Amino acid sequence: MVVKAIRHAEERTSGEVRVFVENHCSWMDALDRAAEVFFSLKMEKTEERNAVLVYIALKDHQLAVFADEGIHQRVGTGYWTELVGEMLSSFNKHHYGQGIAECVIRIGEALQSHFPYNKDTDKNELPDHIVFGR
């Protein structure tokens, strides 16, 4: 469900979306951990700086969305905060996969608006699979 949502989101944009799931986010703010993961996955290397990471620490109940400067400058902090709130609402109903997928789709919509797909120049710069951490 989530990988399908990533592929669907990326069909309409030059932007990139990744999902990172781990159990714990110990001694660190979720957004700081998301930034750390974002850079460790070299997501800042996209040509238009339009990659977005959805970060989830399951057992610690931590969530964050971290976006590169290209897309963040266009939608702002409030947009990412809203997405996290919506994902939390789904998680509170035990709809984890659905919550992540819906978040990815909304990210795709923002990316499409600011970085539309161009069949002549687009390439998949980052893998679409879910990354599992510790």
Side-chain angles (χ1 to χ4, degrees):
M1 171 189 293
V2 175
V3 172
K4 184 177 179 180
I6 292 169
R7 290 184 179 142
H8 177 71
E10 290 184 0
E11 284 176 352
R12 302 170 307 188
T13 179
S14 64
E16 299 289 332
V17 182
R18 296 203 75 186
V19 174
F20 185 91
V21 179
E22 64 185 350
N23 286 322
H24 297 287
C25 180
S26 302
W27 306 295
M28 185 178 274
D29 176 76
L31 189 56
D32 292 339
R33 176 67 179 140
E36 182 179 82
V37 169
F38 182 93
F39 290 107
S40 74
L41 294 173
K42 301 188 182 341
M43 292 179 67
E44 80 284 3
K45 302 287 185 186
T46 60
E47 189 173 321
E48 296 186 75
R49 302 294 304 261
N50 57 358
V52 181
L53 176 72
V54 177
Y55 171 81
I56 300 120
L58 290 173
K59 291 188 179 179
D60 288 339
H61 304 253
Q62 298 279 335
L63 304 172
V65 176
F66 187 87
D68 208 344
E69 62 188 33
I71 184 63
H72 180 72
Q73 290 172 353
R74 288 171 172 87
V75 300
T77 303
Y79 185 78
W80 310 121
T81 302
E82 181 181 321
L83 290 182
V84 168
E86 290 171 4
M87 201 169 24
L88 279 171
S89 177
S90 290
F91 281 26
N92 287 337
K93 298 172 190 163
H94 304 284
H95 300 149
Y96 304 105
Q98 179 182 343
I100 297 167
E102 288 172 359
C103 180
V104 167
I105 289 166
R106 291 274 318 273
I107 291 167
E109 290 167 356
L111 287 167
Q112 179 186 11
S113 174
H114 299 285
F115 299 95
Y117 176 79
N118 180 331
K119 69 178 177 67
D120 297 324
T121 60
D122 190 63
K123 59 184 178 281
N124 194 10
E125 297 179 86
L126 300 171
D128 296 339
H129 63 273
I130 300 169
V131 181
F132 293 94
R134 48 188 154 89

